[in-house]
RNA sequence: GGAGGAGUGGCCGAGCGGUCGAAGGCGGCGGACUUGAAAUCCGUUGAGCCCCCUUCGGGCUCCGUGGGUUCGAAUCCCACCUCCUCCGCCA
């Protein structure tokens, strides 16, 4: 959620930002409608003004009510016989005020809910250097790391990860489908060890960089999920809900790590707070039917080590942290020996909470292209505002704005094991279908090479 | 799952239906003392929102959350959440 002051003080900024983000706020104002951004801002302003108008009126009524109560209190000093007579009209007036105020309170709540529902869909502001545009070619490639395999020179055609995994006997999609449905799977034998090895590897790197390690809950309250900017409910949600409760299966430990400090006021000197979280991740993949329907690349459940930072509420600071996250992600996949490229994601492709996002895309010879393996986002104060995560800023002596400021929140993937396995299988495959285990994982996998079953 | 008890400001902890945004303490900040620091003393110190908007100023809300009773609720009633103790069950 953005600061409402932007709506009131700088509507043009908001309009321009909506235009480059291409995220709709009102259903009847889709991003291809004429002047949709300006019209969206107009409507937001009307909603806000309506709410404030009603609020003012309600506050006036409440003020009156308090006046009556105070007068009543003063009657206590009068002689007994006089009190009853003086009390009656006051009680009458107070009762009338109460009724009027209650009616109005409902309208205020409605107006506020309407404004907030719309406002919470407005995306975060955008880093000035993020490339504008949308679509795959709009992203800016920042660098390439590692060496791609030259299968032509090696004299064999690369297989895709699914073929390799089946040959090795390390995933069982059939059993997954039988027990839980399409896009669920079992990791078997070396597959299980590979998954755990990636987790251990990522946790070690995270810890070396000063992140405090957590195994997080895999479920979270819908309120927390929404606080992080995810849509917990609705037809297009990516999030599973547990029936009869207000719980959701988390799509990422970003939710559980970010929610940890909800409603807290931190000490400035405790920042930045660096957390790593290991969790299972569940995604409905609504709307992605048919896309990469086979294999481990897009699945309903996987395991991930997530990095998270709470920083001072200053873009300079969170920006620097964001770059640090990117460096750690690069270090992790460089350590695995996987060739990849780094993308500065285009404005039209950023999720609502992100101010800027970098993706790492591994080169996947099996599919002959690049595939996202990790990403990192600076969400500035967008999530913190709704989660009410603040810190006392001793510098900010300004009485008007208050001493407490919202933290900035940065998240990033250390390792999503399913996609890392895809990249490892495809990059490290050999002509006979065996797969070399990346050196850094061997101490946990216990093997140098995975060999196909006879 | 059953039976009790409790949730108050950054933290701890008082609180009779009106005099309570809330005693007291800790912590923080400012000052005095000191060469400096500690100790001591004095003062100060919650959050959010609305109007005004430069300040000054005015107003509303908030004592776990949401309802209710009342002219008036931190205080009474109901539901939910969380924590603690005991019993049961279990990895």
């Amino acid at each position: 959620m953005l600061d409402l002051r932007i709506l009131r003080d700088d509507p043009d900024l908001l309009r321009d930002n909506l235009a480059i983000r291409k995220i709709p706020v009102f259903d009847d104002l889709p991003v291809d409608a004429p002047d949709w951004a300006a019209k969206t801002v107009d409507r937001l302003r009307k909603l806000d003004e309506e709410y404030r108008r009603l609020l003012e009126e309600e506050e006036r009524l409440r003020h009156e009510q308090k006046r009556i109560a105070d007068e009543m209190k003063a009657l206590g000093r009068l002689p007994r016989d006089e009190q009853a007579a003086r009390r009656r009209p006051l009680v009458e007036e107070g009762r009338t005020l109460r009724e009027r105020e209650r009616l109005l309170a409902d309208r205020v709540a409605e107006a506020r809910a309407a404004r907030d529902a719309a406002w919470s869909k407005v995306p975060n502001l955008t880093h000035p250097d993020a490339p504008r545009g949308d679509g795959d070619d709009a992203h800016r490639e920042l660098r390439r790391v590692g060496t791609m395999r030259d299968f032509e020179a090696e004299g064999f055609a690369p297989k895709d990860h699914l073929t390799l995994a089946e040959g090795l006997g390390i995933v069982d999609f059939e059993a997954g489908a039988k027990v839980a449905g399409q896009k669920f799977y079992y990791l078997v034998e070396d597959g299980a060890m590979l998954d755990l090895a990636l987790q251990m590897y990522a946790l070690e790197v995270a810890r070396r960089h000063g992140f405090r390690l957590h195994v997080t809950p895999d479920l979270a309250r819908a309120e927390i999920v929404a606080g992080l900017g995810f849509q917990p409910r609705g037809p297009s949600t990516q999030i599973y809900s547990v029936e009869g409760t207000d719980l959701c299966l988390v799509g990422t430990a970003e939710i559980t790590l970010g929610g940890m400090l909800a409603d807290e006021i931190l000490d400035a000197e405790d920042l930045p707070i660096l957390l790593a979280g290991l969790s299972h991740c569940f995604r409905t993949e609504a709307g992605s039917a048919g896309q990469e329907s086979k294999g481990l690349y897009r699945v309903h459940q996987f395991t991930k080590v997530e990095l998270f930072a709470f920083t001072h509420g200053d873009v300079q600071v969170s920006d620097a942290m964001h770059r640090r996250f990117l460096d750690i992600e690069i270090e992790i996949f460089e350590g695995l020996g996987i060739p990849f490229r780094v993308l500065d994601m285009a404005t039209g492709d950023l999720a609502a909470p992100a101010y800027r996002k970098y993706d790492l895309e591994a080169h996947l010879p099996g599919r002959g292209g690049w595939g996202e393996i990790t990403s990192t986002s600076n969400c500035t104060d967008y999530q913190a505002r709704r989660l009410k995560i603040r810190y006392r800023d001793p510098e900010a002596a300004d009485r008007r704005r208050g001493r407490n400021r919202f933290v900035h929140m940065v998240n990033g993937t250390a390792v999503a094991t399913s996609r890392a396995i895809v990249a490892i299988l495809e990059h490290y495959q050999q002509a006979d279908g065996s797969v070399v285990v990346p050196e850094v994982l061997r101490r946990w996998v216990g093997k140098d090479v995975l060999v196909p079953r006879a």
Side-chain angles (χ1 to χ4, degrees):
Chain A
M1 197 166 60
L2 278 176
D3 190 341
L4 273 163
R5 266 181 299 209
I6 296 169
L7 178 64
R8 294 166 193 165
D9 300 346
D10 203 349
D12 291 349
L13 171 69
L14 197 62
R15 180 200 60 208
D16 295 346
N17 189 59
L18 277 172
I20 60 169
R21 296 295 289 256
K22 300 191 193 301
I23 294 179
V25 174
F26 298 103
D27 290 340
D28 57 338
L29 280 176
V31 297
D32 49 8
D35 290 330
W36 74 277
K39 284 181 181 162
T40 297
V41 172
D42 279 350
R43 201 181 294 180
L44 286 165
R45 283 174 73 92
K46 288 215 179 68
L47 285 170
D48 184 45
E49 280 158 20
E50 174 68 359
Y51 161 68
R52 284 192 284 172
R53 190 181 66 74
L54 290 168
L55 180 67
E56 254 180 87
E57 209 175 320
E58 191 202 0
E59 285 185 352
R60 214 174 302 128
L61 281 179
R62 259 212 268 269
H63 184 58
E64 280 300 293
Q65 281 181 283
K66 291 178 77 150
R67 207 204 72 231
I68 300 283
D70 282 342
E71 282 181 33
M72 185 75 80
K73 191 168 60 187
L75 290 186
R77 288 193 225 98
L78 267 48
R80 278 284 159 95
D81 49 338
E82 222 176 295
Q83 281 188 29
R86 299 279 298 273
R87 193 166 275 151
R88 210 168 301 123
L90 283 178
V91 169
E92 200 49 48
E93 194 180 349
R95 206 175 273 154
T96 309
L97 278 169
R98 185 174 69 199
E99 275 154 23
R100 283 175 58 200
E101 193 268 335
R102 278 189 188 182
L103 285 175
L104 198 54
D106 289 343
R107 294 177 59 200
V108 171
E110 276 168 35
R112 190 188 167 133
R115 182 198 69 183
D116 289 352
W119 187 244
S120 66
K121 287 189 195 162
V122 173
N124 201 350
L125 298 178
T126 312
H127 194 291
D129 296 341
R132 311 287 125 148
D134 54 321
D136 289 344
D137 48 350
H139 310 312
R140 181 188 299 131
E141 184 174 318
L142 297 179
R143 56 188 286 205
R144 290 191 184 196
V145 178
T147 314
M148 292 184 228
R149 295 274 296 275
D150 184 350
F151 288 95
E152 211 164 302
E154 293 184 46
F156 73 99
K159 302 184 179 74
D160 66 60
H161 77 276
L162 187 57
T163 308
L164 292 160
E166 278 168 353
L168 297 170
I170 61 172
V171 287
D172 187 344
F173 276 99
E174 246 174 79
K178 177 162 39 176
V179 169
Q182 268 305 317
K183 295 189 182 177
F184 285 96
Y185 56 96
Y186 290 76
L187 291 169
V188 185
E189 283 288 354
D190 290 332
M193 294 310 288
L194 200 52
D195 193 78
L196 290 168
L198 284 162
Q199 296 172 39
M200 290 301 295
Y201 168 63
L203 287 171
E204 278 195 357
V205 174
R207 180 175 246 183
R208 179 151 39 76
H209 281 281
F211 289 76
R212 196 173 162 80
L213 268 35
H214 297 81
V215 176
T216 81
D218 287 338
L219 288 84
R221 291 183 202 290
E223 189 191 337
I224 298 286
V225 173
L228 272 294
F230 294 82
Q231 308 272 341
R233 303 275 146 82
S236 64
T237 184
Q238 272 277 75
I239 308 267
Y240 288 102
S241 295
V242 180
E243 195 177 344
T245 72
D246 68 340
L247 290 171
C248 304
L249 297 184
V250 299
T252 159
E254 176 190 344
I255 292 167
T256 40
L257 292 176
M260 276 180 88
L261 298 179
D263 292 317
E264 298 204 17
I265 300 175
L266 310 164
D267 288 321
E269 54 268 32
D270 291 340
L271 299 175
I273 295 174
L274 302 177
L275 308 178
L278 169 67
S279 82
H280 295 114
C281 304
F282 302 90
R283 301 188 179 181
T284 63
E285 297 300 342
S288 63
Q291 287 180 47
E292 278 122 359
S293 59
K294 289 194 166 191
L296 281 172
Y297 189 78
R298 190 177 296 282
V299 287
H300 287 316
Q301 179 184 337
F302 57 96
T303 302
K304 182 153 70 81
V305 175
E306 178 80 358
L307 306 175
F308 207 93
F310 301 86
T311 76
H312 293 93
D314 176 343
V315 178
Q316 305 270 313
V317 175
S318 57
D319 229 19
M321 182 61 72
H322 192 205
R323 285 195 297 277
R324 191 170 153 197
F325 270 48
L326 179 59
D327 287 341
I328 295 171
E329 294 188 359
I330 289 171
E331 178 189 331
I332 288 172
F333 275 86
E334 212 166 13
L336 286 170
I338 308 255
F340 60 90
R341 62 179 186 177
V342 180
L343 298 182
D344 191 351
M345 302 305 283
T347 55
D349 266 1
L350 298 182
Y355 176 74
R356 193 180 205 180
K357 178 167 107 138
Y358 302 116
D359 274 11
L360 258 62
E361 291 192 342
H363 186 254
L364 303 174
R367 67 148 84 168
W370 304 92
E372 179 191 344
I373 39 171
T374 65
S375 81
T376 177
S377 297
N378 181 5
C379 296
T380 61
D381 60 3
Y382 189 87
Q383 299 170 319
R385 183 165 291 107
R386 184 147 31 162
L387 292 167
K388 298 207 244 332
I389 307 178
R390 294 165 292 175
Y391 67 100
R392 273 178 299 276
D393 183 3
E395 309 284 290
D398 184 350
R399 231 173 293 117
R400 196 146 279 275
R401 289 186 59 198
R403 276 186 189 98
N404 297 334
R405 312 201 31 208
F406 291 108
V407 297
H408 281 195
M409 291 159 68
V410 178
N411 70 76
T413 320
V415 155
T417 59
S418 52
R419 290 204 175 170
I421 290 172
V422 170
I424 288 168
L425 293 180
E426 297 200 2
H427 175 71
Y428 281 103
Q429 63 178 298
Q430 304 187 101
D432 61 356
S434 64
V435 172
V436 174
V437 177
E439 221 166 300
V440 293
L441 301 182
R442 288 180 191 167
R443 40 194 275 239
W444 295 293
V445 176
K447 292 183 180 177
D448 294 358
V449 182
L450 308 185
V451 182
R453 290 182 301 176

